[in-house]
Amino acid sequence: MAAVGSAVGLGNVWRFPYICYENGGGAFLIPYFVALFTAGVPLLILEFTVGHWARSSPPEAFKKIGKKWEWVGWWTVLIPFVVAAYYVSVMAWCFSYMLYSLDLRWGANAEQFFFKTFLGMTNSPEIIGGLRVPIVLGLIVVWMCIFVILYKGVKRIGKVVALTVPIPLILLIILTIRGLTLPGAMEGISYYLTPDFSKLANANVWLAAYGQVFFSLSLAQGIMITYASFLKKKSDITNNAIITALADAGTSFLAGFTVFSVIGYLTVSQGFGIDQLSISGPGLTFVTYPTAISLLPFAATFFGMIFYVALLTFGIDSAFSMIEPITSGLHGKWKMSKAKATGIMCIIGFFASLIFATGSGIHWLDIIDHHIASFGLVLIGLVECIVLGWMYKIYKLREHANKTSDVLLGRWWDFLIKFAIPFVLIIILILAIVENITKPYGGYSWYIILLGGVIPVVGIFLLSFVLMKIKGKEEGV
Ligand code: TRP
């Protein structure tokens, strides 16, 4: 349940529909499902197995694989901490928008309201701008929630996810029914699902599919290893992994219907074509959707509220699962108490996320998200496959998974981890690097990319070596 909670999040509700639409609509489902079954599920099984086998946090788990590999574990737990800094700020936006739904505060021009009035967006990332008070208040609320949920340890997580997994799903279903019964819904849906097969020849579409699967399944970020370490000895590993992956993909697919049905209604009621809308990640959830909400014939406030409550409850279990791996790591190596480790990380996290509460926040969010989600995750996924597949006897892990699982893994799984997945990931990385060098992301200048993209990825990599070198508690005695 907690793994599903971590996987299903904002990534399903705004990222998936938009990525799908941009990369060929219905045709994108082909690379998406190929990526899901050739890389997503096998890697999820791998991470669950490692966690269950090592019964410890990622740094210690990699240390068990080989002493010199501890840094890989630190690397995987530091990345989601950076993701958390901006993910929480998107949740802070949701928090404000939940309250704004009460009086449909965005008015007639939701775009103007979001970028100018709410974010106070500056013209470029260099111009920092002032702190936005409503966002800072939202950050405080969300970070406090994360602290309260985590500091008592894993039992409380179990109780929280029993609510935060089903509630947003029910809300999403209500919203989908509302969306599909609006005039124009079918236009939106056919826009979402009509395949454009010519896009399948484009390498970037495949890149987007693998990136989305990694981000959405929370892969290569320590969390699945950490959660699996809490499983009972007899738990079925492979089944759990398959269920988690299908639940995640199913929610994304459903969210596409929720969002696009409402967009269809928006265009029909305003009398223009869908292609005239600017559908972009943040815009979709904070501009297009609120505009459509205002036009609803009745109960606009109600549907607006439940949309943002759904986003918040979808997001919270992903957000705290980004902090859990690093606190587990600190607890494992330095025997720091869970409460202390959580407190320290939440305070650092809060200050780190303040940059995203400034007028330049959305620029930095965009740059850091792009580099962490495409390079960071794919790179770590690759390193995981190499270290676990080549530096350790992968068949031992397979036998470990098979001991408790109904679905038995064959040699094909070893082949995927050792050859097929690394091969695909290397190609993707090379293509992505070439593309980003020839065309800097978002047209930003090179030093902005260096600051927001290269330095976080490389910095975290170096920091993980430092953490490995510092002596742990039991080593020091
Ligand atoms: N999978 C989450 C979502 O779809 C987001 C996410 C990205 C995440 N990286 C993570 C969650 C790391 C937990 C840990 O919204």
Side-chain angles (χ1 to χ4, degrees):
M1 191 78 127
V4 172
S6 167
V8 177
L10 301 181
N12 303 59
V13 184
W14 65 257
R15 207 167 188 266
F16 176 80
Y18 151 72
I19 297 268
C20 180
Y21 154 71
E22 254 206 340
N23 292 288
F28 179 74
L29 295 174
I30 299 170
Y32 177 77
F33 281 104
V34 169
L36 184 71
F37 288 106
T38 59
V41 175
L43 274 179
L44 201 55
I45 297 175
L46 178 67
E47 294 204 349
F48 276 179
T49 310
V50 171
H52 188 260
W53 164 81
R55 317 215 119 254
S56 58
S57 66
E60 292 162 285
F62 277 92
K63 204 169 158 192
K64 282 192 184 159
I65 296 288
K67 249 197 147 145
K68 57 176 176 295
W69 301 117
E70 186 186 334
W71 63 272
V72 180
W74 285 111
W75 201 15
T76 64
V77 305
L78 286 169
I79 285 270
F81 185 67
V82 176
V83 177
Y86 67 80
Y87 200 85
V88 167
S89 71
V90 177
M91 288 183 63
W93 301 350
C94 293
F95 188 73
S96 296
Y97 267 67
M98 178 184 77
L99 300 177
Y100 294 162
S101 304
L102 288 173
D103 55 1
L104 306 176
R105 182 87 50 95
W106 46 82
N109 191 343
E111 189 170 352
Q112 168 89 8
F113 180 82
F114 178 65
F115 290 110
K116 293 282 164 249
T117 320
F118 181 61
L119 293 182
M121 182 176 160
T122 57
N123 288 335
S124 77
E126 293 100 322
I127 309 169
I128 300 290
L131 277 176
R132 313 301 292 179
V133 177
I135 306 182
V136 175
L137 293 178
L139 287 178
I140 295 176
V141 173
V142 181
W143 280 111
M144 293 246 282
C145 289
I146 295 178
F147 175 75
V148 170
I149 294 167
L150 287 184
Y151 85 101
K152 277 259 171 94
V154 69
K155 284 230 173 71
R156 188 167 279 182
I157 297 183
K159 286 193 197 125
V160 172
V161 293
L163 290 176
T164 56
V165 174
I167 288 178
L169 203 57
I170 295 169
L171 298 181
L172 195 67
I173 293 172
I174 297 176
L175 288 166
T176 315
I177 296 173
R178 171 72 282 214
L180 290 176
T181 49
L182 287 167
M186 285 310 135
E187 260 104 301
I189 300 298
S190 74
Y191 198 67
Y192 164 44
L193 291 183
T194 308
D196 172 0
F197 288 105
S198 65
K199 293 236 174 172
L200 289 187
N202 184 336
N204 283 328
V205 172
W206 291 85
L207 188 89
Y210 277 85
Q212 173 63 18
V213 165
F214 269 78
F215 185 89
S216 193
L217 287 180
S218 317
L219 278 177
Q221 301 172 79
I223 182 59
M224 294 309 185
I225 296 181
T226 309
Y227 274 170
S229 74
F230 301 137
L231 281 174
K232 296 208 176 68
K233 272 230 160 67
K234 290 238 165 81
S235 314
D236 186 313
I237 293 174
T238 312
N239 244 345
N240 272 326
I242 294 173
I243 291 171
T244 309
L246 291 183
D248 184 62
T251 313
S252 292
F253 193 57
L254 178 69
F257 285 91
T258 324
V259 170
F260 277 89
S261 59
V262 169
I263 289 176
Y265 169 67
L266 172 67
T267 54
V268 167
S269 56
Q270 300 213 321
F272 52 77
I274 288 193
D275 29 14
Q276 281 158 271
L277 277 180
S278 60
I279 304 180
S280 65
L284 191 59
T285 319
F286 297 96
V287 176
T288 321
Y289 207 89
T291 311
I293 293 277
S294 298
L295 293 173
L296 286 182
F298 62 90
T301 295
F302 172 74
F303 286 108
M305 282 281 276
I306 66 171
F307 180 66
Y308 290 105
V309 172
L311 277 175
L312 280 170
T313 39
F314 266 134
I316 188 72
D317 34 26
S318 301
F320 67 68
S321 75
M322 295 175 192
I323 309 300
E324 176 65 20
I326 185 137
T327 58
S328 287
L330 293 176
H331 175 71
K333 183 153 180 169
W334 288 286
K335 306 289 164 274
M336 196 184 276
S337 77
K338 258 281 153 68
K340 189 169 163 199
T342 311
I344 294 175
M345 292 327 287
C346 285
I347 290 172
I348 300 179
F350 169 71
F351 283 106
S353 48
L354 282 180
I355 180 73
F356 304 107
T358 63
S360 65
I362 193 165
H363 295 293
W364 290 111
L365 191 153
D366 190 30
I367 299 166
I368 295 179
D369 174 62
H370 173 80
H371 289 89
I372 294 272
S374 63
F375 295 104
L377 300 194
V378 173
L379 196 62
I380 296 182
L382 175 65
V383 172
E384 264 187 6
C385 286
I386 293 175
V387 170
L388 298 173
W390 292 89
M391 306 297 156
Y392 189 74
K393 297 184 184 69
I394 187 77
Y395 71 88
K396 279 199 181 164
L397 292 175
R398 169 160 54 89
E399 282 166 4
H400 181 87
N402 282 347
K403 246 190 277 165
T404 55
S405 305
D406 277 343
V407 184
L408 295 184
L409 301 170
R411 289 245 168 95
W412 54 267
W413 185 73
D414 304 7
F415 173 79
L416 282 175
I417 303 290
K418 284 180 85 161
F419 301 99
I421 302 177
F423 177 74
V424 174
L425 296 187
I426 286 175
I427 300 213
I428 285 185
L429 269 175
I430 293 174
L431 289 174
I433 290 172
V434 170
E435 159 146 341
N436 277 266
I437 289 177
T438 47
K439 217 170 47 189
Y441 179 69
Y444 292 111
S445 57
W446 64 267
Y447 69 90
I448 292 290
I449 301 281
L450 198 68
L451 212 63
V454 182
I455 291 181
V457 176
V458 176
I460 291 171
F461 175 65
L462 297 177
L463 185 59
S464 53
F465 279 99
V466 174
L467 287 169
M468 174 169 98
K469 290 287 175 222
I470 304 176
K471 269 207 161 31
K473 196 86 185 239
E474 84 277 33
E475 292 166 317
V477 203

